């Protein structure tokens, strides 16, 4: 097998001192090398430029590029972060931008059902807050004005448009906090490329809200936990994962048990549990669907009686 990883072999035969053939051979070899390098040339250009790179939910894209076009991924998170910092300039994730600081408190953002690329692109088109700067495409590229998910060109354009429109609204003092922060897909966590500490390896409260209805929004959950900074990840219409990186369970309990805070949720049969307790309940139910476990409004009939409560009102803990 050749060094290209295929069984193809190229044999060059030349007469000595044949300058014309030698020049043609150089062109052929260069073309073959360029073809074989493929996207590696783009990766090298991105790395050499040190220009800011914008992604949407792009951690897996960065992992893929580093592994296939740089070197095998290291075995530790710290080594991976160092590798990325050595290869690229600043990296921004639009999924992080829209969920951070003052941007996350905008009413239009809090009303979002999710922060997928499609949902954020719709937000840019439908809400006046995000109309600037205007994006104009040159002739021949009008097809990209129409949503075309998972088309590489459209995805890149949509990501750039979201970054341009959201970043202009972000206060300068908040911009540094999102630099190098990459969202971990299908989780409430992020990786912080430019910080030694990381949410993935730091302690904090992890809660689950169950028995939710479609009338409960992300904004409602944020208000319930104010003034704590939380991250909400919806598992489905009836369950949400609440991550509070900088607060303990005791602090969360104190907030939601304060007068008038959570009564309306308790009245609706909504419960808040620690993540470990929800996992215990799921195991007790022998893998049955959570909706079945919640079909009866009595807590004991859901199996919660087997978990010792640390709060008599909303949160149960083992």
């Amino acid at each position: 097998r050749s060094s290209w990883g295929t069984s193809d072999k190229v044999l060059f035969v030349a007469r000595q001192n044949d300058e014309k053939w030698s020049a043609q051979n150089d062109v052929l070899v260069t073309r073959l090398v360029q073809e074989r390098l493929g996207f590696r040339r783009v990766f090298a250009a991105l790395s050499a430029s040190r220009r800011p790179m914008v992604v949407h939910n792009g951690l897996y894209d960065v992992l893929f590029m580093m592994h296939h076009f740089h070197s095998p991924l290291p075995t530790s998170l710290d080594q991976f972060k160092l590798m990325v910092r050595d290869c690229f300039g600043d990296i921004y994730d639009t999924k992080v931008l829209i969920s951070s600081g003052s941007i996350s408190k905008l009413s239009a953002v809090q009303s979002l059902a999710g922060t997928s690329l499609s949902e954020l692109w719709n937000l840019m088109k439908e809400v006046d807050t995000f109309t600037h700067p205007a994006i104009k495409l040159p002739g021949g590229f009008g097809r990209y004005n129409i949503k075309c998910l998972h088309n590489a060109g459209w995805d890149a354009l949509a990501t750039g448009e979201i970054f341009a429109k959201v970043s202009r609204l972000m206060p300068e003092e908040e911009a540094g906090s999102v630099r190098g922060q990459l969202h971990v897909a299908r989780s409430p966590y992020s990786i912080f490329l430019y910080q030694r500490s990381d949410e993935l390896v730091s302690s904090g409260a992890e809660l689950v809200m169950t028995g939710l209805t479609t009338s409960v929004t992300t904004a409602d959950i944020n208000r319930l936990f104010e003034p704590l900074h939380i991250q909400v990840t919806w598992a489905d219409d009836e369950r949400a994962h609440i991550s509070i990186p900088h607060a303990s369970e005791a602090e969360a309990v104190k907030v939601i048990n304060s007068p008038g805070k959570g009564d309306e949720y308790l009245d609706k049969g909504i419960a808040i549990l620690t993540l470990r307790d929800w996992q215990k309940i799921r195991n007790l139910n022998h893998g049955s669907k959570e909706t079945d476990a919640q079909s009866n409004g009595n807590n004991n009939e859901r199996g919660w009686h087997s978990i010792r409560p640390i709060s008599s009102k909303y949160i149960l803990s083992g």
Side-chain angles (χ1 to χ4, degrees), residues 104 109-114 215-225 230-234 240 242 265:
S104 66
V109 174
Q110 292 196 341
S111 65
L112 288 172
S215 64
V216 179
T217 67
T218 300
D220 295 329
I221 298 175
N222 274 293
R223 282 192 292 270
L224 173 63
F225 285 91
I230 70 171
Q231 296 171 319
V232 181
T233 302
W234 289 88
I242 317 299
Y265 295 98

Side-chain angles (χ1 to χ4, degrees), residues 204-207 228 244 247-258 274 276 310-311 315 317:
E206 301 292 338
L207 310 177
L228 299 178
I244 315 176
S248 66
E249 290 177 6
E251 290 172 306
V253 169
K254 183 177 180 180
V255 168
I256 63 174
N257 283 347
S258 57
T274 62
R276 63 180 177 277
I310 60 171
S311 166
I315 299 186
S317 177

Side-chain angles (χ1 to χ4, degrees), residues 115-127:
T115 55
S116 68
L117 188 64
S118 175
E119 288 165 314
L120 295 190
W121 188 80
N122 290 340
L123 184 69
M124 301 301 110
K125 301 299 182 183
E126 297 169 359
V127 178

